[in-house]
Amino acid sequence: ALEAERRLLLAAAAHRVRAPRIRAWAADATAALFGEVVIPPSADRRGGDPPTTTATTLLAVHVRRESTDLGCDDVRRYVVCPDLAGGRGVSTKEVVAAIVRAARDVRASAVYVAHAGNGPPELAGERDRVLRALRDAGLAARSALDGDTGGAGLSPDLQPFELSLVEQEICATATAFLPSARSTWSATVVLDREARARRVLRPIDANLPRRAGRRRRRLARRRR
């Protein structure tokens, strides 16, 4: 049943496109931030000129933070979980390390960071810290919200919902996409990309070690 539902979702995603103005804003922002970007061939993009050899391989990343524990788990750790002190969340350092690994795996020289949500107080200003860390790692890391929207060629009058759609479109058309697990925003982009045979990586939190405290409790029970 779940597989049948997923096939229906993919079929719907194949026919879903964002408004022309959203697509145009996203294309303009991508060009302003990165120049020409390598977009993999897809079912909805036949023909046309291939990218030049100087085109940028762009990894788009969605980092989703939450202020409630609805996305928390007692075994697996998730980016959306704000419980950093309790070991159920994911630190900024771990997020950066996952992005750097993903960029290396897809041979990306540039990273677009879509960062959203409000996590615990210690994560205030995280988007800027992530961008700086990625730049220190040698990547051309940018965001349409980095400083102000003017740097991405976007109007400062865009509404937050419009900006969110622009970021989704950038993520949907990048060379590769690295999502956050348990995020409906990421899930929408994943469906868009899979319906068009574009590369989707395992989520940021997929390869993290499990919660240490839980492992210790399991080991303690086995010794009894």
Side-chain angles (χ1 to χ4, degrees), residues 39-222:
I39 301 176
S42 68
D44 68 336
R45 188 174 177 271
R46 299 185 178 90
D49 297 327
T52 67
T53 55
T54 59
T56 299
T57 300
L58 175 63
L59 170 67
V61 180
H62 179 227
V63 180
R64 176 64 187 179
R65 294 298 192 178
E66 293 282 1
S67 57
T68 70
D69 62 0
L70 293 176
C72 295
D73 186 87
D74 286 336
V75 178
R76 289 194 59 185
R77 298 161 57 222
Y78 291 99
V79 173
V80 297
C81 178
D83 184 18
L84 299 180
R88 296 189 295 171
V90 180
S91 69
T92 300
K93 182 178 179 180
E94 289 174 306
V95 168
V96 170
I99 296 172
V100 171
R101 285 194 301 271
R104 181 186 62 227
D105 290 345
V106 301
R107 299 183 179 181
S109 58
V111 178
Y112 182 86
V113 178
H115 188 288
N118 297 310
E122 58 265 37
L123 291 180
E126 183 183 45
R127 183 186 67 236
D128 293 337
R129 294 199 303 276
V130 168
L131 290 170
R132 284 195 299 269
L134 293 175
R135 290 165 187 160
D136 289 344
L139 294 165
R142 302 294 300 275
S143 168
L145 305 181
D146 184 12
D148 59 62
T149 56
L154 297 173
S155 168
D157 297 326
L158 291 184
Q159 297 300 309
F161 181 68
E162 292 174 316
L163 284 171
S164 179
L165 288 175
V166 169
E167 290 204 297
Q168 273 196 331
E169 183 68 14
I170 292 173
C171 290
T173 54
T175 316
F177 178 57
L178 180 66
S180 285
R182 296 192 169 185
S183 163
T184 55
W185 197 100
S186 274
T188 298
V189 175
V190 168
L191 283 171
D192 286 345
R193 295 184 64 88
E194 289 185 345
R196 294 165 176 81
R198 292 175 179 162
R199 189 168 185 180
V200 176
L201 306 180
R202 296 186 68 194
I204 296 170
D205 21 30
N207 296 315
L208 294 174
R210 294 194 173 194
R211 193 179 175 199
R214 184 79 175 199
R215 289 199 301 272
R216 285 195 295 268
R217 287 194 293 273
R218 284 203 301 268
L219 289 173
R221 284 196 297 268
R222 289 173 186 170

